Amino acid sequence: MEVVIAPAGELARLAAGAVEELLRARPEAVLGLATGSSPLAVYDELARRHKEGLSFARARAFMLDEYVGLPADHPERYRNVIKKEIASRVDFAPGAVQGPDGLAADLPAACAAYEAAIADAGGVDLQILGIGTDGHIAFNEPGSSLASRTRIKTLTRQTREDNARFFGGSVDDVPRHCLTQGLATIMSARHLVLLASGRAKAEAVHQLVEGPVSAMWPATIMQLHPHATVLVDDAAASRLQLADYYRQTYADKPDWQGL
Ligand code: F6R
Protein backbone atom coordinates (compact mmCIF):
# COMPACT_ATOMS: atom_id res chain seq x y z
CA MET A 1 0.00 0.00 0.00
CA GLU A 2 1.38 3.39 -0.95
CA VAL A 3 0.42 6.35 1.24
CA VAL A 4 0.84 9.86 -0.18
CA ILE A 5 0.35 12.84 2.15
CA ALA A 6 -0.08 16.06 0.18
CA PRO A 7 -2.34 19.13 -0.19
CA ALA A 8 -5.81 18.31 -1.57
CA GLY A 9 -5.16 19.91 -4.98
CA GLU A 10 -2.07 17.78 -5.52
CA LEU A 11 -3.95 14.63 -4.50
CA ALA A 12 -6.63 15.29 -7.12
CA ARG A 13 -3.94 15.86 -9.77
CA LEU A 14 -2.20 12.60 -8.81
CA ALA A 15 -5.43 10.59 -9.03
CA ALA A 16 -6.44 12.23 -12.33
CA GLY A 17 -2.91 11.63 -13.60
CA ALA A 18 -3.24 7.90 -12.87
CA VAL A 19 -6.55 7.84 -14.79
CA GLU A 20 -4.99 9.73 -17.70
CA GLU A 21 -1.96 7.44 -17.84
CA LEU A 22 -4.27 4.41 -17.90
CA LEU A 23 -6.52 5.83 -20.64
CA ARG A 24 -3.56 6.84 -22.80
CA ALA A 25 -2.15 3.29 -22.50
CA ARG A 26 -5.52 1.53 -22.81
CA PRO A 27 -8.29 3.75 -24.23
CA GLU A 28 -10.81 0.96 -23.63
CA ALA A 29 -10.00 0.78 -19.90
CA VAL A 30 -12.67 0.18 -17.27
CA LEU A 31 -12.90 2.81 -14.53
CA GLY A 32 -14.55 2.52 -11.13
CA LEU A 33 -16.33 5.68 -9.99
CA ALA A 34 -17.17 6.77 -6.44
CA THR A 35 -19.68 9.41 -5.39
CA GLY A 36 -19.50 11.69 -2.35
CA SER A 37 -17.24 14.70 -1.79
CA SER A 38 -13.84 13.01 -1.93
CA PRO A 39 -13.54 12.47 -5.71
CA LEU A 40 -15.09 15.78 -6.81
CA ALA A 41 -11.76 17.55 -7.34
CA VAL A 42 -10.54 14.52 -9.33
CA TYR A 43 -13.60 14.75 -11.58
CA ASP A 44 -13.00 18.50 -12.04
CA GLU A 45 -9.42 17.74 -13.03
CA LEU A 46 -10.51 14.98 -15.44
CA ALA A 47 -13.06 17.32 -17.04
CA ARG A 48 -10.29 19.88 -17.47
CA ARG A 49 -7.97 17.30 -19.03
CA HIS A 50 -10.80 16.19 -21.33
CA LYS A 51 -11.00 19.74 -22.68
CA GLU A 52 -7.29 19.43 -23.38
CA GLY A 53 -7.79 16.22 -25.37
CA LEU A 54 -8.11 13.32 -22.94
CA SER A 55 -10.80 11.03 -24.36
CA PHE A 56 -13.12 8.64 -22.53
CA ALA A 57 -14.90 7.62 -25.76
CA ARG A 58 -13.77 4.01 -25.65
CA ALA A 59 -13.70 3.65 -21.86
CA ARG A 60 -16.37 2.18 -19.65
CA ALA A 61 -17.15 2.86 -16.00
CA PHE A 62 -18.91 1.19 -13.11
CA MET A 63 -20.24 2.98 -10.07
CA LEU A 64 -19.67 1.67 -6.56
CA ASP A 65 -23.12 1.95 -5.11
CA GLU A 66 -26.62 3.37 -5.26
CA TYR A 67 -29.39 4.26 -2.82
CA VAL A 68 -32.45 2.01 -2.89
CA GLY A 69 -35.73 3.63 -3.81
CA LEU A 70 -34.76 7.20 -4.68
CA PRO A 71 -36.97 8.39 -7.57
CA ALA A 72 -35.34 8.31 -11.02
CA ASP A 73 -35.09 12.11 -11.18
CA HIS A 74 -33.86 12.64 -7.59
CA PRO A 75 -30.70 14.78 -7.68
CA GLU A 76 -29.01 12.58 -5.05
CA ARG A 77 -29.64 9.35 -6.91
CA TYR A 78 -26.04 8.31 -7.52
CA ARG A 79 -26.61 7.77 -11.25
CA ASN A 80 -27.67 11.41 -11.48
CA VAL A 81 -24.77 12.56 -9.30
CA ILE A 82 -22.21 10.74 -11.45
CA LYS A 83 -23.83 12.08 -14.61
CA LYS A 84 -23.59 15.62 -13.28
CA GLU A 85 -20.13 15.41 -11.73
CA ILE A 86 -18.26 13.53 -14.45
CA ALA A 87 -20.17 11.55 -17.11
CA SER A 88 -21.80 14.58 -18.75
CA ARG A 89 -18.51 16.53 -18.65
CA VAL A 90 -16.45 14.07 -20.70
CA ASP A 91 -17.13 11.97 -23.80
CA PHE A 92 -18.20 8.58 -22.49
CA ALA A 93 -20.27 6.70 -25.10
CA PRO A 94 -24.00 6.36 -24.33
CA GLY A 95 -24.51 3.52 -21.84
CA ALA A 96 -20.81 3.29 -21.00
CA VAL A 97 -21.34 4.27 -17.36
CA GLN A 98 -23.30 1.76 -15.33
CA GLY A 99 -24.50 1.59 -11.75
CA PRO A 100 -26.46 -0.82 -9.60
CA ASP A 101 -30.23 -0.40 -10.14
CA GLY A 102 -31.69 0.82 -6.87
CA LEU A 103 -35.17 0.94 -8.43
CA ALA A 104 -35.22 -2.69 -9.64
CA ALA A 105 -38.26 -4.74 -8.69
CA ASP A 106 -35.95 -7.64 -7.89
CA LEU A 107 -32.97 -6.14 -6.04
CA PRO A 108 -30.97 -9.38 -5.49
CA ALA A 109 -31.29 -10.11 -9.23
CA ALA A 110 -30.10 -6.56 -10.00
CA CYS A 111 -27.05 -7.14 -7.78
CA ALA A 112 -26.21 -10.41 -9.53
CA ALA A 113 -26.66 -8.75 -12.93
CA TYR A 114 -24.31 -5.96 -11.87
CA GLU A 115 -21.59 -8.41 -10.83
CA ALA A 116 -22.02 -10.16 -14.20
CA ALA A 117 -21.74 -6.85 -16.08
CA ILE A 118 -18.46 -5.98 -14.33
CA ALA A 119 -17.09 -9.45 -15.08
CA ASP A 120 -18.23 -9.23 -18.73
CA ALA A 121 -16.34 -5.94 -19.06
CA GLY A 122 -13.18 -7.72 -17.92
CA GLY A 123 -13.18 -6.19 -14.41
CA VAL A 124 -12.29 -2.70 -13.24
CA ASP A 125 -8.80 -1.41 -14.06
CA LEU A 126 -8.71 1.58 -11.71
CA GLN A 127 -11.17 2.08 -8.87
CA ILE A 128 -11.55 5.51 -7.27
CA LEU A 129 -12.63 5.30 -3.63
CA GLY A 130 -13.56 7.52 -0.70
CA ILE A 131 -13.78 6.32 2.89
CA GLY A 132 -16.55 6.83 5.45
CA THR A 133 -15.82 8.08 8.95
CA ASP A 134 -16.78 4.58 10.12
CA GLY A 135 -14.27 2.97 7.74
CA HIS A 136 -16.67 1.94 5.01
CA ILE A 137 -15.63 1.79 1.36
CA ALA A 138 -18.48 1.90 -1.11
CA PHE A 139 -21.31 1.23 1.37
CA ASN A 140 -19.69 -1.75 3.05
CA GLU A 141 -20.49 -0.76 6.60
CA PRO A 142 -18.68 -2.17 9.68
CA GLY A 143 -19.41 -5.88 9.99
CA SER A 144 -19.50 -6.39 6.21
CA SER A 145 -18.13 -9.70 5.03
CA LEU A 146 -14.61 -9.31 3.71
CA ALA A 147 -15.68 -11.74 0.94
CA SER A 148 -18.85 -9.82 0.00
CA ARG A 149 -20.12 -9.18 -3.53
CA THR A 150 -22.71 -6.66 -4.74
CA ARG A 151 -25.74 -6.82 -2.46
CA ILE A 152 -28.29 -4.86 -0.44
CA LYS A 153 -26.94 -3.17 2.69
CA THR A 154 -28.52 -1.17 5.50
CA LEU A 155 -26.78 2.16 6.07
CA THR A 156 -25.58 2.95 9.58
CA ARG A 157 -26.99 5.92 11.45
CA GLN A 158 -23.49 7.45 11.24
CA THR A 159 -23.40 7.23 7.44
CA ARG A 160 -26.91 8.64 7.14
CA GLU A 161 -25.93 11.54 9.42
CA ASP A 162 -22.73 12.10 7.41
CA ASN A 163 -24.73 12.16 4.15
CA ALA A 164 -27.61 14.30 5.46
CA ARG A 165 -25.69 17.33 4.11
CA PHE A 166 -26.63 16.17 0.61
CA PHE A 167 -30.32 15.98 1.63
CA GLY A 168 -30.81 19.49 2.96
CA GLY A 169 -29.48 18.45 6.39
CA SER A 170 -32.33 16.01 7.02
CA VAL A 171 -31.13 12.58 8.13
CA ASP A 172 -34.69 11.26 7.73
CA ASP A 173 -34.52 11.96 4.01
CA VAL A 174 -31.38 9.82 3.57
CA PRO A 175 -32.44 6.35 2.38
CA ARG A 176 -31.91 3.48 4.81
CA HIS A 177 -30.84 0.95 2.20
CA CYS A 178 -28.42 0.81 -0.69
CA LEU A 179 -26.97 -1.55 -3.25
CA THR A 180 -23.21 -1.69 -3.03
CA GLN A 181 -20.32 -3.48 -4.60
CA GLY A 182 -18.94 -5.87 -1.99
CA LEU A 183 -15.46 -5.81 -0.54
CA ALA A 184 -14.42 -8.76 -2.72
CA THR A 185 -15.85 -6.96 -5.76
CA ILE A 186 -13.72 -3.90 -4.98
CA MET A 187 -10.67 -6.06 -4.27
CA SER A 188 -10.99 -7.53 -7.78
CA ALA A 189 -10.17 -4.14 -9.32
CA ARG A 190 -6.57 -3.98 -10.51
CA HIS A 191 -5.67 -0.64 -8.91
CA LEU A 192 -7.39 0.98 -5.93
CA VAL A 193 -6.99 4.75 -5.47
CA LEU A 194 -8.55 6.07 -2.25
CA LEU A 195 -8.82 9.76 -1.41
CA ALA A 196 -9.49 11.21 2.04
CA SER A 197 -9.28 14.70 3.43
CA GLY A 198 -10.15 16.39 6.69
CA ARG A 199 -9.72 15.51 10.35
CA ALA A 200 -13.05 13.63 10.46
CA LYS A 201 -11.39 10.92 8.35
CA ALA A 202 -8.20 10.65 10.45
CA GLU A 203 -9.21 7.65 12.57
CA ALA A 204 -10.62 5.75 9.57
CA VAL A 205 -7.40 6.45 7.62
CA HIS A 206 -5.26 5.29 10.57
CA GLN A 207 -7.24 2.04 10.76
CA LEU A 208 -7.17 1.58 6.98
CA VAL A 209 -3.38 1.88 6.79
CA GLU A 210 -2.16 0.72 10.19
CA GLY A 211 -4.96 -1.16 11.92
CA PRO A 212 -5.54 -4.92 11.94
CA VAL A 213 -7.53 -6.24 8.99
CA SER A 214 -11.05 -6.50 10.33
CA ALA A 215 -14.66 -6.34 9.22
CA MET A 216 -15.07 -3.66 11.92
CA TRP A 217 -13.05 -1.31 9.69
CA PRO A 218 -13.97 -2.62 6.23
CA ALA A 219 -11.42 -0.48 4.37
CA THR A 220 -8.62 -2.44 6.09
CA ILE A 221 -9.15 -5.19 3.47
CA MET A 222 -7.18 -2.89 1.16
CA GLN A 223 -4.01 -3.89 3.03
CA LEU A 224 -4.30 -7.20 1.17
CA HIS A 225 -4.48 -5.57 -2.27
CA PRO A 226 -1.33 -5.77 -4.42
CA HIS A 227 -1.78 -2.23 -5.83
CA ALA A 228 -3.51 0.17 -3.45
CA THR A 229 -2.79 3.90 -3.29
CA VAL A 230 -4.03 6.04 -0.38
CA LEU A 231 -4.02 9.80 -1.04
CA VAL A 232 -4.56 11.90 2.09
CA ASP A 233 -4.17 15.50 3.16
CA ASP A 234 -2.39 16.51 6.39
CA ALA A 235 -5.59 16.52 8.45
CA ALA A 236 -6.67 13.05 7.33
CA ALA A 237 -3.09 11.85 7.96
CA SER A 238 -2.95 13.35 11.46
CA ARG A 239 -3.37 10.01 13.26
CA LEU A 240 -0.96 8.01 11.13
CA GLN A 241 1.81 6.62 13.35
CA LEU A 242 4.27 6.30 10.46
CA ALA A 243 3.38 9.60 8.75
CA ASP A 244 7.03 10.72 8.64
CA TYR A 245 8.04 7.50 6.92
CA TYR A 246 5.26 7.83 4.32
CA ARG A 247 6.30 11.44 3.65
CA GLN A 248 9.95 10.45 3.27
CA THR A 249 9.09 7.50 1.02
CA TYR A 250 7.07 9.74 -1.28
CA ALA A 251 9.78 12.44 -1.30
CA ASP A 252 12.37 9.79 -2.25
CA LYS A 253 10.19 8.22 -4.95
CA PRO A 254 11.92 8.11 -8.33
CA ASP A 255 10.34 10.46 -10.92
CA TRP A 256 9.75 7.60 -13.35
CA GLN A 257 7.58 5.67 -10.93
CA GLY A 258 3.86 6.47 -11.23
CA LEU A 259 1.16 5.70 -8.68
C1 F6R B 1 -19.81 6.74 -2.38
C2 F6R B 1 -19.13 5.81 -1.51
C3 F6R B 1 -18.78 6.12 -0.11
C4 F6R B 1 -18.06 7.44 0.06
C5 F6R B 1 -17.78 7.71 1.54
C6 F6R B 1 -17.06 9.01 1.76
O1 F6R B 1 -19.98 6.17 -3.67
O2 F6R B 1 -18.86 4.77 -1.98
O3 F6R B 1 -17.98 5.09 0.40
O4 F6R B 1 -16.86 7.40 -0.66
O5 F6R B 1 -18.98 7.70 2.24
O6 F6R B 1 -17.90 10.05 1.38
P1 F6R B 1 -17.35 11.54 1.21
O7 F6R B 1 -16.37 11.49 0.13
O8 F6R B 1 -18.56 12.33 0.86
O9 F6R B 1 -16.75 11.90 2.53
Side-chain angles (χ1 to χ4, degrees):
M1 177 179 281
E2 178 177 27
V3 181
V4 178
I5 304 170
E10 187 178 337
L11 301 178
R13 279 192 295 279
L14 285 170
V19 172
E20 173 157 12
E21 199 175 314
L22 172 66
L23 288 175
R24 298 239 182 246
R26 282 193 59 210
E28 70 285 8
V30 179
L31 304 175
L33 303 176
T35 41
S37 309
S38 304
L40 292 180
V42 182
Y43 297 154
D44 288 345
E45 178 65 14
L46 288 174
R48 194 188 66 73
R49 291 178 188 219
H50 170 62
K51 280 189 188 148
E52 290 180 353
L54 177 63
S55 177
F56 294 71
R58 293 171 58 197
R60 276 174 292 174
F62 288 90
M63 294 164 47
L64 280 174
D65 40 20
E66 181 59 274
Y67 291 117
V68 167
L70 280 187
D73 60 352
H74 195 290
E76 288 308 320
R77 192 177 182 223
Y78 278 175
R79 286 184 185 200
N80 298 334
V81 173
I82 284 292
K83 191 173 175 186
K84 173 169 168 257
E85 301 298 351
I86 180 70
S88 65
R89 302 167 75 192
V90 299
D91 60 342
F92 279 116
V97 180
Q98 298 184 54
D101 184 1
L103 286 173
D106 184 341
L107 292 172
C111 293
Y114 196 60
E115 282 283 330
I118 296 172
D120 283 353
V124 170
D125 290 301
L126 187 155
Q127 176 65 60
I128 296 169
L129 294 163
I131 186 170
T133 55
D134 63 3
H136 69 226
I137 48 174
F139 276 141
N140 293 282
E141 299 284 32
S144 289
S145 163
L146 300 180
S148 50
R149 292 279 167 181
T150 303
R151 69 213 182 290
I152 308 166
K153 283 294 285 182
T154 302
L155 297 171
T156 60
R157 175 84 191 174
Q158 177 70 58
T159 295
R160 293 178 61 237
E161 283 173 2
D162 287 347
N163 287 3
R165 68 190 193 280
F166 297 118
F167 290 80
S170 165
V171 70
D172 290 332
D173 289 343
V174 182
R176 290 170 190 271
H177 297 102
C178 63
L179 304 185
T180 180
Q181 286 191 29
L183 293 169
T185 319
I186 294 167
M187 289 291 285
S188 301
R190 287 177 273 281
H191 184 192
L192 304 181
V193 178
L194 183 142
L195 296 114
S197 57
R199 194 162 291 269
K201 300 289 176 72
E203 177 62 16
V205 167
H206 163 59
Q207 293 291 339
L208 154 65
V209 178
E210 298 172 335
V213 175
S214 162
M216 285 304 287
W217 290 93
T220 57
I221 189 75
M222 287 175 60
Q223 292 176 24
L224 302 180
H225 197 284
H227 191 185
T229 307
V230 175
L231 303 173
V232 290
D233 70 359
D234 283 323
S238 59
R239 299 209 54 188
L240 287 173
Q241 288 171 10
L242 301 182
D244 290 345
Y245 173 63
Y246 308 136
R247 284 194 175 91
Q248 192 59 54
T249 302
Y250 186 60
D252 291 347
K253 190 171 172 172
D255 287 342
W256 45 263
Q257 200 178 10
L259 286 185

